[in-house]
Structure formats: C-alpha cells, structure tokens
Amino acid sequence: MNRPPAANRYRDAWAGELGADRAGQRLRVAGWVHRRRDHGGLIFIDLRDRSGLLQLVFHPETSGEAFAAAERLRSEHVLSAVGTLVRREEANVNPNIATGEVELQVEEMEVLAQAETPPFPVDEDGQVDESTRLAHRMIDLRREAMRDALVLRDRIVRVMRETLAEHDFLEIETPILTRSTPEGARDFLVPSRMQPGSFYALPQSPQLFKQLLMMSGYERYYQIARCFRDEDLRADRQPEFTQLDLEMSFVEEEDVMGLMERLFARVFEACGFSAPPPPWPRLGYDEAMARYGSDRPDLRFGLEIHDVSDHLRGTGFKAFRGVLDSGGVVRGFNAGPRETPRKELDELTELAQRTGAKGLVWAFVQEGGVWRSPIAKFLTDAEMQAVSSQLGASEGDLLLAVADDACVAAEVLGTLRLRLGEPDTSRHELVWIVDFPAFEWNEGEGRWDALHHPFTAPVGDLSDPGSLRSRAYDLVLDGTEIGGGSIRIHDVDVQRRVLEILGMPEEEAQARFGFLLDALRYGAPPHGGIAFGLDRVAAIVAGRDSIRDVIAFPKTASGADLMTGAPAPVDARQMKELGLRPA
Ligand code: ASP
C-alpha cells in the first residue's frame, strides 16, 4: 500500500506491511481473523487486512481481558487490536508471509463484529465449486488469490491512465443509455418509460461517440468503458465487459500501434509480465491465415503450415488432383516426431471433418523418407520427397495435410495446429495482424458484412467490395486477440458508400447514422483508434484461465449473477409503467 492509514480509533498501520524495522513500536491494527491457533497457553491469531497477514499473540498475563476475549474469537470475526510489535524468536520466523519476522503482542482488543461460519474457508486454497464461490462472492473476494487479481487489475488500469495522461489523452465518459451501434452482436435493450415502445440500447462499444469526439476537436480520448453484448455466453465471455477504449486524431496505423506498444510495454513491466520488447511483428492477414490457419495465431510454438500444392499439380492421386484442378490447395504441417496411435489419428480426422474438411491425410516418415500413410501408394517417391522436404520432415515425424479450398484448409489446419501445439508457457508472444479484408460475404443473408465494423477505412476499389482491404489492426497475445482497432472513414461519401455496400439504403443510413454522416460533413479530421479487452488482458497477465477470476462480480455462462439473483422478474406495476406485457 502506498502509505500507512491515517491513525484513528481502529488502526494506525496496515497489518501486512509491518516488519522488523518497526519492532518495539506500539501499534494498532484492524481486520479479520484469518486463522486462530491455541498453543502452550498462548493464543495466536493471523489477522488479515487488504495488505496481508500479521500474527497477533495473546498472553494470559500481559494481554489482560483481551486474552479471555481472544478465546472466543472465531474465523472471520472483525477486530481492532493494540500491542507492541516484537521480533519473533529465530525458530518461529515464518518465511511464507511478509510479516513473518514479527508479531504483535496484544494488550487491548475490541471485537467489532462477529461472523458466522463462512460457506467455505477463506484461509485455504482448497477447491471450492465455482457456483458456490459466485453465490457468496463477497466471501470469495476475501481470498488471497482474488485479492491479488483485483490488485493487479488496478495496477494495469493505473499504468494505462498514467501513460495516456502523459500523452495528452482526456478521459471522457460516453452514454450508457444510447442507440444501437453495430459491432455485430445483439444489443441489450432498455425500455423507455417516457416514450413507451421506444428503447435505449446499452453500448456494445463507445465507437461512434469517440469518433464524434474527434470531429469535435478533442484530439485524444480514452475511457475505461463498460460494454454490453447480448450473446450466448460460449467459452469465457461476459455480457458486460470492460474495454480500454481510445481514439486519436491526425494519425495513421503506425501512430496508434506504436503508442499502444509503449503503453503495453509499461503495463507488462509494472506487472512483472515477461513479454518481448516492442516493436512487435506485423503480420498480414493472408499470411497469418496461410502460415497459422488463424488471424490470431499463437506464436509460442511452430507447427507452421505450408502450401505444398506446387509439388502435386501433376499427381495421379485423384483426390488431390481434383481439388488442385478446381482452384483448391493442398496444405499441411509437420506435427513433429510423435507416437500417434490409430485412435488419435481417427480423432484428428474427426476434428478435421467437424471443422469442414472432407478428410485428413496423415503420413509417418519412415527410414529413407518413405511414408507410412493410406495415400502412400497413390503418390510417387518424388512427390513424397518434395512434400517431406518442404515440411522439413525427418524420420519419425507425423505429417498432416488437407486438400480443400484455401479457406477450409486454413481453418482446419489452424484447428489441428492448436490441438497439437504445446506452447512454451514460460514465454509470451505478441503480434499485430494487419491488412484484413474489409468485407466478407454473408452467404445466409446474401450481403456483405464488415469484418471489423462499418466505420473502418477501406483501401482499394469501392466498386469491388470483395477485393477491398481495411485499415484495421488487431493485437494478439499468445493466441488471444486482446485488442483491435482501425483508421476510420473521415469522408462522408466513402462512409455512405460503405453503408450501401453493407446493404443499408440511404434512407436507413440517414435514419440510423444521420448524426455521424452530419458530423462527417462539418470537417472531420483523419482519425483512428483501438479498444482492448481489459478483462482478457488482466486474466492473461495474472495467469488465470478465466476472465471471471479478474472481475469482482462476474456472471455465469447463462448471464446470471448468482449473488444478487439478477436477472430477476419485476412486478406487474413496473411492467405496466414501461408498457410491457409479461411473456
Ligand atoms: N469499437 C471497436 C470494438 O469495440 C474497437 C475500435 O475500433 O476501436 O471492438
């Protein structure tokens, strides 16, 4: 903690920060009973406050009335105690806690609150079922692991704020009750009581407001912004989450990326997170897809994908030949030396099929470069040699390949690569992905979708949407996208045209985004920005598997808050006021 608490009736020191340099002083501390032990006529209490633990000793003679009171203390009772801080005898020094060299010999104690037995112990790191932890989050947050995570999260945000302030950013709030912004997810809606039948949307991001701030001349904006997306919470998502959201005027891609590198290098350093120093590599989207089968590649391991089509164009193997003749590819990677039983190969094949491939080719490289593979008999030695050599294969290696159209091959091999890769978890790898396609064709809806969002500046010929690239960039850490942003459109005609490409007729564009289109007409500077998922960053830096472990009060996968019981039905009167009918 930065400084001792101002002395008051409860305390004048943080319990967890007292060391031998303060021995001999009379001090007052306050906190919770973490643990109690009775030993040889003495009572020992580990007192816990946010700063850590301190051993209190109650002696039948010197502690007076406090001794009798200490006999009745139980876990999680709250107390304030005064005593003399003394060095522990050599044999009793506890190297496991920061205050292990000292203890407080209590002279007086006041019990401030009693506690019932908590639903699970606070002082043990035992496995407690997560729903029990979430239902009693206020108790769970007392545990050291949770406290450490939230302290770390605070440090991350603090460094972000400090760095951005040094670079002249202003922290500006944007509305929570707003109009829908298209980020591609479903909105949470809030019915308006004063305008029955109308709804606010909770922001999926402050995107349009931050762009408007640039048009209003604020130059550099940031916000630790709460965002809301009503998605099915697969994997590790939350319906509300926090972004570091920022925007800058008169910038290009490298200005934003460069500043973000400086910011994150400082965050990582402050948190003891050993990331390589910037600049971090920039990898084009196409290359990322070709080499790693993913636009968020985990670079902590190799297993790089290669296109081996050129060696097989004249092959007699019909399955390959057919795919190649119709414009497809044969790609594969060297999974390295591994004993792979038939059952595992079947599982990999099944995974490949589930991901969209027609099949998976596997081959073990044997002595002399010969393949053991169901397709070996269809290929010539020269073809096998050429493929092996491009994949850098040696005896004992398992080679995996897929023949399909380029997108399917990338996706399938990317999935297999992740399944088989064994990342070196002692190091971290960052990479910027750039040069994204601007739009992708939405087969189901029969229209183009923006890959990033409709406000990202496109590059290329607007009359050929499929060929357009965008000025977007994503930052990927250990295979997880931690942030993304872009240089924006600042020309009203381009913005109109892009909305049109996305299937939005002029009238609709005007109705939904009239305020943006207007702002673009009144002098909009070139601008760009980015947003980072703060929960995700904090989880990775803290080494936690789930973002729930770095959020004080998270929700479950079904969007429930098990502690407060949200979401909950409301009474009929409230429904009526809002013009809503029960479902
Ligand atoms: N608004 C974007 C998002 O929330 C980020 C950005 O373009 O700045 O993903």
Side-chain angles (χ1 to χ4, degrees), residues 169 214 219-220 246-259 457 471 473 486-488 490 525-530:
F169 281 77
M214 295 305 103
E219 305 272 2
R220 292 174 174 215
L246 60 94
E247 196 76 6
M248 305 167 77
S249 290
F250 303 106
V251 289
E252 299 189 296
E253 290 85 332
E254 280 300 324
D255 299 310
V256 181
M257 292 193 278
L259 184 61
R471 298 183 67 185
Y473 33 79
S486 60
I487 300 301
R488 325 294 185 188
H490 73 284
H527 62 288
I530 194 163

Short mmCIF file of all heavy atoms in Angstrom, two decimals, residues 169 214 219-220 246-259 457 471 473 486-488 490 525-530:
data_model
loop_
_atom_site.label_atom_id
_atom_site.label_comp_id
_atom_site.label_asym_id
_atom_site.label_seq_id
_atom_site.Cartn_x
_atom_site.Cartn_y
_atom_site.Cartn_z
N PHE A 169 -3.99 12.44 -23.49
CA PHE A 169 -5.35 11.91 -23.69
C PHE A 169 -6.26 12.49 -22.61
O PHE A 169 -5.83 12.70 -21.47
CB PHE A 169 -5.37 10.38 -23.57
CG PHE A 169 -4.89 9.70 -24.82
CD1 PHE A 169 -3.54 9.63 -25.12
CD2 PHE A 169 -5.80 9.12 -25.69
CE1 PHE A 169 -3.09 8.99 -26.27
CE2 PHE A 169 -5.36 8.49 -26.85
CZ PHE A 169 -4.01 8.41 -27.13
N MET A 214 -13.64 13.12 -31.83
CA MET A 214 -12.54 13.55 -32.71
C MET A 214 -13.03 14.68 -33.62
O MET A 214 -12.34 15.66 -33.85
CB MET A 214 -12.01 12.39 -33.55
CG MET A 214 -11.37 11.27 -32.75
SD MET A 214 -10.05 11.83 -31.66
CE MET A 214 -10.89 11.81 -30.07
N GLU A 219 -9.11 15.54 -30.08
CA GLU A 219 -7.77 15.04 -30.43
C GLU A 219 -7.41 13.66 -29.87
O GLU A 219 -6.97 12.79 -30.59
CB GLU A 219 -6.67 16.03 -30.00
CG GLU A 219 -6.85 17.42 -30.55
CD GLU A 219 -6.21 17.60 -31.91
OE1 GLU A 219 -5.66 16.62 -32.43
OE2 GLU A 219 -6.28 18.72 -32.45
N ARG A 220 -7.48 13.50 -28.56
CA ARG A 220 -7.09 12.23 -27.95
C ARG A 220 -8.05 11.92 -26.80
O ARG A 220 -8.09 12.65 -25.81
CB ARG A 220 -5.65 12.30 -27.42
CG ARG A 220 -4.67 12.40 -28.55
CD ARG A 220 -3.27 12.63 -28.13
NE ARG A 220 -2.44 12.54 -29.33
CZ ARG A 220 -1.22 12.05 -29.37
NH1 ARG A 220 -0.64 11.62 -28.28
NH2 ARG A 220 -0.56 12.01 -30.51
N LEU A 246 -9.92 3.91 -26.95
CA LEU A 246 -9.31 5.21 -27.22
C LEU A 246 -9.38 5.58 -28.68
O LEU A 246 -9.63 4.74 -29.55
CB LEU A 246 -7.87 5.23 -26.71
CG LEU A 246 -6.88 4.21 -27.27
CD1 LEU A 246 -6.13 4.80 -28.42
CD2 LEU A 246 -5.89 3.84 -26.17
N GLU A 247 -9.19 6.86 -28.93
CA GLU A 247 -9.27 7.38 -30.29
C GLU A 247 -8.33 8.59 -30.40
O GLU A 247 -8.14 9.32 -29.42
CB GLU A 247 -10.73 7.79 -30.56
CG GLU A 247 -11.08 8.01 -32.00
CD GLU A 247 -11.25 6.72 -32.82
OE1 GLU A 247 -11.21 5.61 -32.25
OE2 GLU A 247 -11.42 6.83 -34.05
N MET A 248 -7.73 8.75 -31.59
CA MET A 248 -6.77 9.84 -31.80
C MET A 248 -7.04 10.49 -33.16
O MET A 248 -7.39 9.80 -34.11
CB MET A 248 -5.34 9.27 -31.83
CG MET A 248 -4.98 8.46 -30.61
SD MET A 248 -3.44 7.52 -30.87
CE MET A 248 -2.23 8.81 -30.67
N SER A 249 -6.79 11.78 -33.22
CA SER A 249 -6.94 12.50 -34.49
C SER A 249 -5.60 12.69 -35.17
O SER A 249 -4.57 12.75 -34.49
CB SER A 249 -7.55 13.87 -34.25
OG SER A 249 -8.89 13.73 -33.87
N PHE A 250 -5.62 12.86 -36.48
CA PHE A 250 -4.42 13.11 -37.29
C PHE A 250 -3.38 12.00 -37.08
O PHE A 250 -2.23 12.26 -36.72
CB PHE A 250 -3.82 14.50 -36.96
CG PHE A 250 -4.81 15.61 -37.16
CD1 PHE A 250 -5.38 16.25 -36.08
CD2 PHE A 250 -5.20 15.98 -38.44
CE1 PHE A 250 -6.33 17.25 -36.26
CE2 PHE A 250 -6.14 16.99 -38.63
CZ PHE A 250 -6.71 17.63 -37.54
N VAL A 251 -3.83 10.78 -37.23
CA VAL A 251 -2.92 9.63 -37.05
C VAL A 251 -3.10 8.61 -38.17
O VAL A 251 -4.14 8.58 -38.84
CB VAL A 251 -3.16 8.90 -35.70
CG1 VAL A 251 -2.68 9.73 -34.53
CG2 VAL A 251 -4.62 8.49 -35.54
N GLU A 252 -2.07 7.80 -38.32
CA GLU A 252 -2.14 6.64 -39.21
C GLU A 252 -1.91 5.40 -38.36
O GLU A 252 -1.63 5.49 -37.16
CB GLU A 252 -1.07 6.77 -40.29
CG GLU A 252 -1.30 8.01 -41.13
CD GLU A 252 -0.39 8.03 -42.33
OE1 GLU A 252 0.84 8.11 -42.13
OE2 GLU A 252 -0.92 7.94 -43.45
N GLU A 253 -1.98 4.24 -39.02
CA GLU A 253 -1.88 2.96 -38.30
C GLU A 253 -0.69 2.91 -37.35
O GLU A 253 -0.82 2.57 -36.18
CB GLU A 253 -1.75 1.79 -39.29
CG GLU A 253 -2.98 1.47 -40.10
CD GLU A 253 -3.11 2.31 -41.37
OE1 GLU A 253 -2.60 3.46 -41.40
OE2 GLU A 253 -3.75 1.83 -42.32
N GLU A 254 0.48 3.26 -37.88
CA GLU A 254 1.69 3.10 -37.06
C GLU A 254 1.69 4.01 -35.83
O GLU A 254 2.31 3.69 -34.82
CB GLU A 254 2.94 3.34 -37.91
CG GLU A 254 3.34 2.14 -38.76
CD GLU A 254 3.64 0.87 -37.95
OE1 GLU A 254 4.21 0.96 -36.84
OE2 GLU A 254 3.30 -0.22 -38.43
N ASP A 255 1.01 5.16 -35.92
CA ASP A 255 0.96 6.05 -34.75
C ASP A 255 0.21 5.36 -33.61
O ASP A 255 0.63 5.39 -32.45
CB ASP A 255 0.24 7.36 -35.10
CG ASP A 255 0.94 8.11 -36.21
OD1 ASP A 255 2.17 8.32 -36.10
OD2 ASP A 255 0.28 8.48 -37.19
N VAL A 256 -0.92 4.75 -33.95
CA VAL A 256 -1.73 4.10 -32.92
C VAL A 256 -0.98 2.86 -32.40
O VAL A 256 -0.82 2.68 -31.18
CB VAL A 256 -3.12 3.69 -33.47
CG1 VAL A 256 -3.95 3.02 -32.38
CG2 VAL A 256 -3.84 4.89 -34.04
N MET A 257 -0.49 2.04 -33.32
CA MET A 257 0.17 0.79 -32.89
C MET A 257 1.43 1.10 -32.06
O MET A 257 1.67 0.46 -31.04
CB MET A 257 0.50 -0.07 -34.10
CG MET A 257 -0.74 -0.61 -34.79
SD MET A 257 -0.38 -1.92 -35.98
CE MET A 257 0.10 -1.02 -37.39
N GLY A 258 2.19 2.09 -32.50
CA GLY A 258 3.42 2.43 -31.79
C GLY A 258 3.13 2.89 -30.36
O GLY A 258 3.79 2.47 -29.41
N LEU A 259 2.11 3.74 -30.23
CA LEU A 259 1.78 4.23 -28.89
C LEU A 259 1.27 3.08 -28.01
O LEU A 259 1.62 2.99 -26.82
CB LEU A 259 0.74 5.35 -28.99
CG LEU A 259 0.37 6.00 -27.67
CD1 LEU A 259 1.61 6.65 -27.03
CD2 LEU A 259 -0.71 7.05 -27.86
N ALA A 457 -11.80 2.42 -42.28
CA ALA A 457 -11.47 2.89 -43.62
C ALA A 457 -11.08 1.73 -44.53
O ALA A 457 -10.22 0.93 -44.16
CB ALA A 457 -10.34 3.91 -43.54
N ARG A 471 -8.13 -0.73 -43.11
CA ARG A 471 -7.01 -0.18 -42.34
C ARG A 471 -7.15 -0.58 -40.86
O ARG A 471 -6.96 0.21 -39.97
CB ARG A 471 -6.96 1.33 -42.53
CG ARG A 471 -6.73 1.71 -43.98
CD ARG A 471 -6.61 3.19 -44.16
NE ARG A 471 -5.40 3.74 -43.52
CZ ARG A 471 -5.12 5.03 -43.45
NH1 ARG A 471 -5.96 5.92 -43.97
NH2 ARG A 471 -4.02 5.45 -42.88
N TYR A 473 -6.32 -3.15 -37.50
CA TYR A 473 -5.20 -3.86 -36.88
C TYR A 473 -5.68 -4.51 -35.58
O TYR A 473 -6.50 -3.96 -34.87
CB TYR A 473 -4.03 -2.89 -36.59
CG TYR A 473 -4.50 -1.49 -36.23
CD1 TYR A 473 -4.97 -1.18 -34.97
CD2 TYR A 473 -4.52 -0.48 -37.20
CE1 TYR A 473 -5.43 0.10 -34.66
CE2 TYR A 473 -5.00 0.80 -36.91
CZ TYR A 473 -5.45 1.07 -35.63
OH TYR A 473 -5.93 2.32 -35.33
N SER A 486 -8.83 0.53 -35.77
CA SER A 486 -8.63 0.86 -37.19
C SER A 486 -8.50 2.36 -37.36
O SER A 486 -8.83 3.14 -36.47
CB SER A 486 -9.82 0.36 -38.01
OG SER A 486 -11.02 0.95 -37.57
N ILE A 487 -8.02 2.72 -38.54
CA ILE A 487 -8.15 4.08 -39.02
C ILE A 487 -9.56 4.15 -39.60
O ILE A 487 -10.03 3.20 -40.24
CB ILE A 487 -7.07 4.38 -40.09
CG1 ILE A 487 -5.68 4.21 -39.48
CG2 ILE A 487 -7.28 5.78 -40.68
CD1 ILE A 487 -5.37 5.09 -38.28
N ARG A 488 -10.25 5.26 -39.31
CA ARG A 488 -11.67 5.33 -39.67
C ARG A 488 -11.88 6.08 -40.99
O ARG A 488 -11.02 6.81 -41.44
CB ARG A 488 -12.46 6.06 -38.58
CG ARG A 488 -11.99 5.84 -37.17
CD ARG A 488 -12.17 4.41 -36.71
NE ARG A 488 -11.79 4.30 -35.28
CZ ARG A 488 -11.69 3.18 -34.62
NH1 ARG A 488 -11.90 2.03 -35.24
NH2 ARG A 488 -11.35 3.17 -33.36
N HIS A 490 -13.14 9.13 -42.83
CA HIS A 490 -13.48 10.50 -42.44
C HIS A 490 -14.05 11.30 -43.62
O HIS A 490 -14.15 12.51 -43.57
CB HIS A 490 -12.30 11.21 -41.77
CG HIS A 490 -11.19 11.59 -42.70
ND1 HIS A 490 -10.30 10.67 -43.18
CD2 HIS A 490 -10.83 12.79 -43.23
CE1 HIS A 490 -9.44 11.30 -43.98
NE2 HIS A 490 -9.74 12.58 -44.03
N PRO A 525 -11.52 15.30 -38.99
CA PRO A 525 -10.09 15.06 -39.19
C PRO A 525 -9.85 13.57 -39.47
O PRO A 525 -10.66 12.73 -39.07
CB PRO A 525 -9.50 15.43 -37.83
CG PRO A 525 -10.58 15.11 -36.85
CD PRO A 525 -11.88 15.41 -37.56
N PRO A 526 -8.74 13.23 -40.11
CA PRO A 526 -8.37 11.81 -40.17
C PRO A 526 -8.23 11.32 -38.74
O PRO A 526 -7.68 12.04 -37.90
CB PRO A 526 -7.01 11.81 -40.87
CG PRO A 526 -6.84 13.18 -41.45
CD PRO A 526 -7.73 14.11 -40.69
N HIS A 527 -8.74 10.16 -38.45
CA HIS A 527 -8.65 9.68 -37.07
C HIS A 527 -8.69 8.17 -37.03
O HIS A 527 -9.09 7.52 -38.01
CB HIS A 527 -9.75 10.29 -36.20
CG HIS A 527 -11.15 9.93 -36.63
ND1 HIS A 527 -11.74 10.43 -37.78
CD2 HIS A 527 -12.06 9.11 -36.08
CE1 HIS A 527 -12.97 9.93 -37.90
NE2 HIS A 527 -13.19 9.12 -36.88
N GLY A 528 -8.25 7.64 -35.90
CA GLY A 528 -8.26 6.19 -35.72
C GLY A 528 -8.13 5.87 -34.25
O GLY A 528 -7.82 6.75 -33.43
N GLY A 529 -8.37 4.63 -33.93
CA GLY A 529 -8.29 4.26 -32.52
C GLY A 529 -8.26 2.76 -32.35
O GLY A 529 -8.04 2.01 -33.30
N ILE A 530 -8.52 2.37 -31.13
CA ILE A 530 -8.41 0.94 -30.81
C ILE A 530 -9.13 0.69 -29.49
O ILE A 530 -9.38 1.63 -28.73
CB ILE A 530 -6.92 0.53 -30.72
CG1 ILE A 530 -6.75 -0.99 -30.73
CG2 ILE A 530 -6.23 1.17 -29.52
CD1 ILE A 530 -5.32 -1.44 -31.06
#
